[in-house]
Amino acid sequence: MFAAASLAGWVAAAAVAIWWLGEVALARGSGSSTALSTSALQALVMVQLFSIVTFGPWLGATTGPRSARLTLLCSLALPWPLVALVWSATPLPGWTMVQIEAALAVLALLLPWAGAAVRMRAPQPVAATLVSLASVIAVCALWSVRDVLLERLS
Amino acid sequence: MIQGVYASPVTAVLAALLIAVAAPGAPAAAAGPAPLELSAAWGGVSRPGRMTELRVRLSSPAAGTVLLRIASAGAVIESALAVRRAEWQEVTVPVPASETVAVRAQFPDGTSAAGSLPLRLAEEPLLAVAATSLRPAAVSGAATGRTARVEVNAGELPRQHQAYQAVDAVLVDAGALAQLDTGQLQGLVDYLGRCGALVAIALPQAASDLLRKEAGCGGRTLMLLADDASTDAAVLSVLAAAPAEPVGRALLRPLLPQAAGPWPLVVAAVLAYFALAAVLLAFAGRPAVLVTCASLATLAVLVGPHVVQPKPRLSIWAESESQDHRGRYSALAETTGAGRGTRTQVLPELLQGAGPCAVADADSDDATGSADSTPPPHWRWDPAHSRFLTVTFEQRLFATAAVCWHGGFPLTRSASTRRLGSGGILVTNRGAGIWPAGVAVQDGRRYVLPVVPPGTARVLSASAQVPESPATDLAAMSGDGDSAVLLWPLELSARGVEHLPARAFLALRAAHDMGGS
């Protein structure tokens, strides 16, 4: 389980790295590397988020919350050097980046617990899978209405 | 003149009371001894995006060092000024023109004063008139068309040559010239040497000779009139003769020495990290090992750029005309960031006239612009030597920070060229010094220019052409078709630039040889 979750994070982060470095190489001198890097940073955070949301409840239900948390933290930490590198090419304040990563870490600690709780109430393996699926759909829905939400909150 | 006010609470209340009892519309100076007075060259009028001159007069409540902070057009200029207690002192600082220039002075006793100065930005060409005995009808405007006119007292003419960028032409007469102090005269002469457009009326012979000697662009931008009868025509003539604005960042950029920048290093680091992570995933299988490795790699990414500082790349384009005593140059230094952090760049003493690149030349990754949330660069101005010493900017990975220079230099090279029937050209060295090897450009053709001793001529064969390069392209752009442009690479060995990757060129527009010796 650990290897599968980490490998998924590795592949997704590597894909973002290839896209980012390729686009920056093509855009050198045009002055658009900041915008590209901001997009790459957004993509990396999304990779981390979906990795946690997809695997969190499922791992919590199948391997137990303790093991799942370790696996998720590992999956979250894997792209950190790349996140730091891409962040250094954006104007985003460092404190904001720390807050985002901390929020993801909190999520990585909570979701396995939710998976384990579901497993206790509904022992069928498909229940945890359904919770993972519901989490992914919820994140996608939130992402699609993020502009409206941010406007309301501000 | 805009008056500043003390920012400390007590003085702010006192100032508010004084303002409240003052009659509406009364000048701010009547309200009390304001410690900060601001004014700008040319009566506060400037062409947008160009440099002008800000004059700051201040009176400090305590002796020591006053720290000035000037914000204009996305740049922040800082200067330290040694002052005596309760004594008015003036400092002049070149600033990029914008709608409002904000100034803050921090006094030695901890108090501060702030003020702002609105500038009027003129879209049409500006004619500055500093004359004491000019007839009102002499510059009617009928001939000069859409040229805007700004009248200034002789005492208000700038001391920094950069400030002359704010206007397109200057008109002075003998009376005004006699009132200029040494610094103003030097500023005017520097302006003229950089091909500035000047109309001078009824000057004494000695002054006329001096201006003729110092004028750049073969003297085409200088008109010396005996009286003000044909002033309009003279203004039109110098405006037409004045060259376009100095070579900007967009044209200087291709001249920069090629450098890979931090990209290959970043690619190598990313590849190495992902390979290591794959090995750890495959063989270690323990989350703690992977998290430790990721944390250490992250630390290295954050600390690394502070250890290895990238060098700026420099390109210099100098140009002149045959028989000119002075040439003018434009220079560009670009630094590509290797990571986040604050970087201070010392500006080479060799190059004068440093400043933010023109707004039109900036791009979104430019630390001299303000297209995103990056703090504006901080320029440090040395009032004693009238030059910028350093520029400090927030650095980002792959982002480029740029510094531009425009200045003048003495030059003695003189040349003439003539087209030959064979397609070649005859080049004659009419100066006193030997020419190194270079390139001649005429009608889009590029010829190999050999070493030419003084007083001798060489035939440049059409068959021995050199390939195109950014420098020869720029030389071709600066030619006028009739005569060739001679191009030489320059060796930079002066202190401050000798270790920088740099490319410098001198382009000399040769005189047209009509066939004589």
Side-chain angles (χ1 to χ4, degrees):
Chain A
M1 291 302 166
F2 160 71
S6 300
L7 192 65
W10 187 95
V11 169
V16 175
I18 290 168
W19 171 78
W20 174 58
L21 289 170
E23 286 285 338
V24 165
L26 290 174
R28 264 191 293 182
S30 72
S32 58
S33 66
T34 303
L36 281 170
S37 301
T38 305
S39 301
L41 188 61
Q42 213 169 51
L44 272 176
V45 170
M46 293 308 288
V47 163
Q48 288 178 303
L49 178 64
F50 276 100
S51 169
I52 291 166
V53 168
T54 308
F55 289 104
W58 183 66
L59 281 173
T62 52
T63 66
R66 186 184 166 79
S67 168
R69 279 173 194 152
L70 265 178
T71 303
L72 284 182
L73 282 179
C74 184
S75 166
L76 180 68
L78 192 78
W80 275 350
L82 187 63
V83 168
L85 208 55
V86 178
W87 164 80
S88 68
T90 70
L92 191 73
W95 178 237
T96 307
M97 200 63 242
V98 170
Q99 284 176 314
I100 290 170
E101 289 299 317
L104 289 172
V106 169
L107 207 60
L109 294 175
L110 291 180
L111 283 180
W113 174 81
V118 169
R119 178 70 186 264
M120 284 176 68
R121 291 173 194 281
Q124 299 86 348
V126 72
T129 309
L130 285 175
V131 171
S132 282
L133 187 63
S135 306
V136 171
I137 291 170
V139 168
C140 289
L142 282 173
W143 179 254
S144 62
V145 294
R146 66 191 186 285
D147 291 339
V148 180
L149 280 177
L150 287 173
E151 195 178 322
R152 291 270 168 86
L153 287 173
S154 62
Chain B
M1 201 73 81
I2 303 296
Q3 306 292 326
V5 292
Y6 273 122
S8 70
V10 176
T11 46
V13 170
L14 281 173
L17 285 171
L18 285 167
I19 289 166
V21 298
L36 192 64
E37 293 180 1
L38 308 176
S39 62
W42 316 116
V45 185
S46 171
R47 297 297 299 277
R50 299 196 195 166
M51 297 294 278
T52 185
E53 185 177 86
L54 180 73
R55 289 168 197 150
V56 182
R57 281 193 80 227
L58 51 86
S59 170
S60 172
T65 303
V66 174
L67 299 175
L68 276 177
R69 190 179 190 277
I70 301 161
S72 180
V76 173
I77 297 164
E78 293 172 331
S79 185
L81 186 67
V83 293
R84 295 193 193 89
R85 184 176 173 275
E87 195 172 284
W88 283 96
Q89 281 183 270
E90 182 176 300
V91 59
T92 55
V93 184
V95 295
S98 65
E99 287 183 353
T100 306
V101 181
V103 181
R104 186 171 192 83
Q106 184 79 41
F107 294 114
D109 64 350
T111 59
S112 63
S116 64
L117 181 73
L119 298 181
R120 280 176 291 143
L121 304 179
E123 292 296 335
E124 61 271 38
L126 266 180
L127 167 67
V129 180
T132 54
S133 56
L134 192 71
R135 287 180 299 112
V139 186
S140 64
T144 50
R146 294 177 58 195
T147 304
R149 178 177 163 179
V150 51
E151 307 248 2
V152 292
N153 294 324
E156 293 172 7
L157 281 179
R159 291 178 177 82
Q160 319 290 342
H161 63 82
Q162 291 104 317
Y164 280 90
Q165 289 178 23
V167 297
D168 297 277
V170 179
L171 191 156
V172 293
D173 65 3
L177 207 63
Q179 293 177 22
L180 301 186
D181 62 28
T182 313
Q184 287 174 308
L185 270 175
Q186 188 59 52
L188 186 67
V189 167
D190 285 348
Y191 162 71
L192 195 57
R194 289 162 173 75
C195 300
L198 179 72
V199 176
I201 300 170
L203 296 195
Q205 191 59 43
S208 299
D209 291 345
L210 173 75
L211 292 183
R212 264 198 212 99
K213 187 183 165 200
E214 296 295 335
C217 285
R220 291 194 311 274
T221 60
L222 171 67
M223 288 293 281
L224 296 165
L225 305 178
D227 54 48
D228 61 8
S230 55
T231 309
D232 271 345
V235 169
L236 273 181
S237 166
V238 294
L239 276 173
E245 289 178 33
V247 174
R249 184 181 172 192
L251 293 174
L252 287 169
R253 203 177 223 172
L255 302 181
L256 288 170
Q258 294 299 313
W263 190 85
L265 198 64
V266 170
V267 171
V270 168
L271 281 176
Y273 172 70
F274 275 98
L276 179 65
V279 169
L280 290 176
L281 270 175
F283 299 108
R286 288 174 57 192
V289 176
L290 207 59
V291 171
T292 307
C293 170
S295 302
L296 289 175
T298 306
L299 199 65
V301 165
L302 296 176
V303 174
H306 295 277
V307 179
V308 184
Q309 291 282 354
K311 276 185 181 177
R313 295 176 296 145
L314 182 68
S315 69
I316 301 175
W317 180 258
E319 56 190 7
S320 181
E321 299 201 10
S322 182
Q323 294 181 331
D324 268 8
H325 299 284
R326 291 187 67 81
R328 61 178 194 161
Y329 68 81
S330 301
L332 168 71
E334 281 197 354
T335 311
T336 306
R340 285 283 277 266
T342 304
R343 180 182 162 78
T344 297
Q345 187 176 326
V346 177
L347 302 173
E349 206 173 333
L350 167 76
L351 300 172
Q352 301 288 317
C357 297
V359 175
D361 290 330
D363 63 33
S364 60
D365 266 5
D366 178 9
T368 59
S370 56
D372 54 33
S373 57
T374 306
H378 286 224
W379 297 78
R380 186 150 195 83
W381 174 255
D382 177 8
H385 297 95
S386 295
R387 62 180 287 257
F388 287 106
L389 296 178
T390 60
V391 56
T392 303
F393 46 84
E394 291 296 319
Q395 204 178 36
R396 292 199 306 264
L397 179 65
F398 300 135
T400 306
V403 179
C404 289
W405 288 265
H406 301 295
F409 62 99
L411 185 76
T412 54
R413 286 187 196 180
S414 178
S416 66
T417 59
R418 177 156 47 104
R419 278 199 192 94
L420 299 176
S422 58
I425 54 175
L426 180 73
V427 179
T428 308
N429 180 351
R430 297 190 182 278
I434 189 168
W435 292 348
V439 176
V441 181
Q442 185 166 29
D443 297 334
R445 285 184 173 179
R446 292 143 181 86
Y447 304 86
V448 175
L449 178 67
V451 173
V452 184
T456 58
R458 292 281 185 275
V459 174
L460 309 186
S461 165
S463 60
Q465 293 197 22
V466 292
E468 288 185 17
S469 70
T472 55
D473 288 347
L474 196 50
M477 283 170 62
S478 61
D480 60 5
D482 283 341
S483 53
V485 175
L486 310 181
L487 181 71
W488 294 279
L490 297 176
E491 292 292 328
L492 294 178
S493 56
R495 194 163 63 88
V497 294
E498 73 274 33
H499 298 307
L500 299 182
R503 288 172 76 192
F505 300 92
L506 168 65
L508 180 74
R509 270 187 292 274
H512 183 49
D513 189 342
M514 303 300 287
S517 61

